[in-house]
Structure formats: structure tokens, C-alpha cells
Amino acid sequence: SFGDSLESDHVVSDSLIGFGQFVIQHLDANAPRPSPLSVPPGDGAKIYITHLENDSNYAELLAEQLMKHGHEPWFPAFDGEESERNRLHQRYLSDCDAVVMCWANASEVWVRSHAAELKWETLQRRTPFSCRSVVAGPPPQAPKNRFRRIPPRTDVDVVIDATEHSALRPDLLAPLLERLTNHASA
């Protein structure tokens, strides 16, 4: 009644009820399906392992240990535009469950400045981090020892001293793993 019919037109029903049923069935049949990548990876925490590029090897060792315990490590990007890297860094801080600062070759200033930005209220987060931690790896240094003994308690929850160990054993990471497990079961 509104114009001429086209070859592509299809009359489904002569009633509004029949047409409504067709639309619902069509939408159900053509609903977007979640891709395998969008399915959550399980009960483990999403942990942002922030580090400098020259600490990547140590950060990867840490990530392997965390993955063995069912956690999902996220890494910063080191290539691309600085604005893109900063945007990704902020998104990870906003979306992760926990943050680990990997400190092997980084400076004390880097660690302290990154620890100071971990205020959940200013990061557009809905909830606090389950854990904000520093894993101090080799080589041993006076600033790492001082940070371990006197950490900034308002910025860091757990400090792991692994400066004397080339391998990151689970017993060294026990305080971090326990904190992540307790938060997941809460």
C-alpha cells in the first residue's frame, strides 16, 4: 500500500503478530556470537606487569610464574607513538585486577613515580586493586633494600625481594600469590 513491490521484498505474514514472531526469530538466528578471544580466561587475576623495556626478560620470567598459578599477565607496549603507549598504560591500570612493578634495571625514581600513580580513585577504576606490588630482582642495590625495608605503604601493598635470586621461585612470590588468591576468593 506504500508503493510498488520489489523483487527483494518478502511478505512474511498478513498479521502484526506473525511479523513480530518473524523479527524475533530472525534476530535470534543472526545475533552476534562472542569470539573465542572475548571469553574470560578463568578465575585468575589480570595482572599488569609494568616495567621498563630493559627489564623485559625479568618481567617475562615473572609472567611465566604467574601464569602457572592461573593468572593472566599484561605487558606495556614499547613500540608505537608515545601517546598510544600512554593510553594503553592508562587503560591497563584502569582494567587490571593487580599491578606488579618489575624492578631489575630500572631506577628508583621510575619505581617510586609508578607506585605513586596507583591511586585507584584517580584511575577511573570502580574498585581498588587486589594488590599493588613491586618485585625487586637482581642486581642487589641499596635503593632496592631501602624500598623493601621502608616501602611507600599508601602506594604499594607487597614488596618481593628477589635481588639475590636469578630464578623467580614460587616461594619468593608467595606473599603476592597469597594476596591474589585471597582477593579472588573474597
Side-chain angles (χ1 to χ4, degrees), residues 106-161:
S107 69
E108 179 182 11
V109 169
W110 181 88
V111 172
R112 288 189 179 277
S113 66
H114 275 70
E117 75 176 329
L118 299 180
K119 310 272 191 288
W120 70 276
E121 304 91 343
T122 61
L123 291 169
Q124 300 176 356
R125 293 179 56 87
R126 294 183 200 122
T127 60
F129 294 103
S130 63
C131 186
R132 302 165 301 168
S133 61
V134 173
V135 175
Q141 298 170 333
K144 291 178 186 177
N145 188 36
R146 181 177 51 249
F147 193 93
R148 179 189 54 79
R149 289 183 297 112
I150 310 167
R153 292 285 178 211
T154 60
D155 302 334
V156 175
D157 304 311
V158 174
V159 178
I160 306 290
D161 182 10

Side-chain angles (χ1 to χ4, degrees), residues 1 8 15 21 36 53 61 67 75 87 89 102 112 130 138-139 159 163 175 186:
S1 66
S8 61
S15 73
Q21 290 172 342
E53 188 169 11
L61 294 173
M67 286 172 47
F75 290 106
R87 197 169 27 255
H89 174 71
C102 190
R112 288 189 179 277
S130 63
V159 178
T163 56

